[in-house]
Amino acid sequence: MVNERLNSANPSFDLKYRRKKNAEEMKHQVITFAMMIFFTLIAFAAVGFDFSKWFIKPVILLLAVVQVIFQLYYFMHMKHKGHSTIALFLFSGLAVGLLTVLTFLTIVWW
């Protein structure tokens, strides 16, 4: 079966395989999109119900980080092969940004 998938002599099998993979990919994207909408509603509800600021800020930041991970992983196709260089640049930029924020917070507090 592996040889059939690698062999493009059977176009109907290749078409079935691609349709199945595309259907799975679309299902994952719809589920992820629904989860991100749910996380956004949780953030709005936390603010709307007037919870403590000490509770709201970390929860909203956590939900934002989870949504960024979902965006990168599913919608920007970072899970596919061949995106290692792009991932390296994205994560390097994230590390530089976090170090910059940490540096300024440290300078301000001391």
Side-chain angles (χ1 to χ4, degrees), residues 30-74:
V30 168
I31 290 170
T32 303
F33 181 72
M35 288 174 60
M36 289 191 320
I37 294 295
F38 180 68
F39 290 155
T40 302
L41 292 176
I42 289 173
F44 276 118
V47 172
F49 286 125
D50 283 334
F51 288 122
S52 168
K53 289 181 184 179
W54 294 102
F55 174 75
I56 292 175
K57 288 179 183 178
V59 167
I60 289 177
L61 287 174
L62 177 69
L63 292 174
V65 167
V66 170
Q67 286 188 0
V68 165
I69 291 169
F70 279 162
Q71 291 267 337
L72 289 174
Y73 192 72
Y74 285 105

Side-chain angles (χ1 to χ4, degrees), residues 1-15 17:
M1 181 147 190
V2 174
N3 289 337
E4 289 178 4
R5 193 173 352 159
L6 297 176
N7 186 3
S8 62
N10 190 353
S12 65
F13 180 79
D14 188 44
L15 184 63
Y17 177 75

Side-chain angles (χ1 to χ4, degrees), residues 10 24 26 43 81:
N10 190 353
E24 289 175 11
M26 184 60 73
K81 293 181 181 178

